[in-house]
């Protein structure tokens, strides 16, 4: 039974990786779409913020001259949180509304158990 569980988990991870690669490939062809750095939602119609969680769209990074010192604006934001693993886990539990999942995770600070309580 444990081997079946491990095999099923590996298959879900592989499917997740394939979907992630497909998403990245679609982003390369569509310049208006972007993947949110906080919740990983694929925003299809551009805009300046994520339609799911409201996070501000990150500017495209420009190559920096080696002689330049990094400015405060070029340092990565510590406020953006990646809940993609928790989202995947909750979806594997049968929750299918990514918007509700993400809102529950944000409200619970990423705690899956607390998010489940908010979702049921």
């Amino acid at each position: 039974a444990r081997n079946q569980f491990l095999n099923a988990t590996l298959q879900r991870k592989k499917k997740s990786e394939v979907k992630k690669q497909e998403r990245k490939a679609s982003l390369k062809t569509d310049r208006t779409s972007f993947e949110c750095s906080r919740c990983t939602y694929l925003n299809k119609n551009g805009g300046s913020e994520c339609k799911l969680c409201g996070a501000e769209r990150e500017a495209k990074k420009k190559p920096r001259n080696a002689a330049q010192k990094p400015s405060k604006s070029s340092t990565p934001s510590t406020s953006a949180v990646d809940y993609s693993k928790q989202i995947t886990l909750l979806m594997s539990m049968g929750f299918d509304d990514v918007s509700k999942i993400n809102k529950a995770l944000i409200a619970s600070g990423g705690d899956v158990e607390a998010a489940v309580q908010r979702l049921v």
Side-chain angles (χ1 to χ4, degrees):
R2 184 169 188 220
N3 284 341
Q4 288 176 335
F5 173 76
L6 292 174
N7 285 336
T9 302
L10 285 173
Q11 286 178 342
R12 280 194 302 272
K13 281 188 174 186
K14 286 179 184 177
K15 286 180 183 178
S16 175
E17 285 299 316
V18 168
K19 286 181 182 179
K20 195 175 200 179
Q21 293 299 329
E22 289 172 351
R23 204 171 8 170
K24 284 184 179 181
S26 72
L27 285 174
K28 289 179 183 177
T29 58
D30 181 3
R31 297 288 180 201
T32 61
S33 297
F34 71 97
E35 183 176 315
C36 178
S37 62
R38 180 190 296 168
C39 70
T40 70
Y41 177 73
L42 179 60
N43 292 274
K44 297 201 180 208
N45 295 324
S48 61
E49 63 182 40
C50 177
K51 289 179 175 68
L52 184 63
C53 71
E56 205 172 300
R57 182 178 185 173
E58 289 185 5
K60 291 184 181 180
K61 295 180 181 178
K62 296 178 183 175
R64 217 177 27 179
N65 185 343
Q68 290 179 326
K69 292 181 181 178
S71 67
K72 288 182 182 178
S73 64
S74 67
T75 57
S77 170
T78 56
S79 63
V81 179
D82 180 13
Y83 292 130
S84 58
K85 290 179 183 176
Q86 292 95 326
I87 290 170
T88 303
L89 177 61
L90 289 165
M91 291 182 79
S92 73
M93 293 177 182
F95 297 101
D96 58 356
D97 188 331
V98 177
S99 176
K100 288 181 181 178
I101 291 171
N102 194 55
K103 288 176 184 175
L105 285 168
I106 290 170
S108 65
D111 183 333
V112 173
E113 289 181 26
V116 167
Q117 294 302 314
R118 291 176 179 275
L119 291 166
V120 291

